[in-house]
Amino acid sequence: MADTFYKHGRPQHPTLQEDRPRGGPAKGIKHQRSWSTGAILLVILLLVIVGIALFP
């Protein structure tokens, strides 16, 4: 009974092609953040440090 229940609505050949094939050439690694984002964060950090140093 359970065998017929699970077969209902399934195609004749339920195997699918692999959507992410294994192997092949490796892709280059992309950095999540750019250099400009790091520079902006560094400038903000320096402004905070200089602000604390000038106004203790």
Side-chain angles (χ1 to χ4, degrees):
M1 181 172 159
D3 196 31
T4 58
F5 176 78
Y6 287 112
K7 283 185 179 179
H8 178 71
R10 286 191 177 218
Q12 290 291 332
H13 303 287
T15 58
L16 299 174
Q17 291 182 353
E18 193 170 351
D19 61 342
R20 293 183 292 161
R22 295 175 182 89
K27 295 180 181 177
I29 299 173
K30 290 186 176 181
H31 295 286
Q32 294 293 329
R33 296 184 184 163
S34 64
W35 287 104
S36 60
T37 305
I40 291 171
L41 291 175
L42 183 62
V43 167
I44 292 172
L45 181 65
L46 287 174
L47 285 174
V48 169
I49 292 172
V50 168
I52 291 173
L54 292 178
F55 303 103

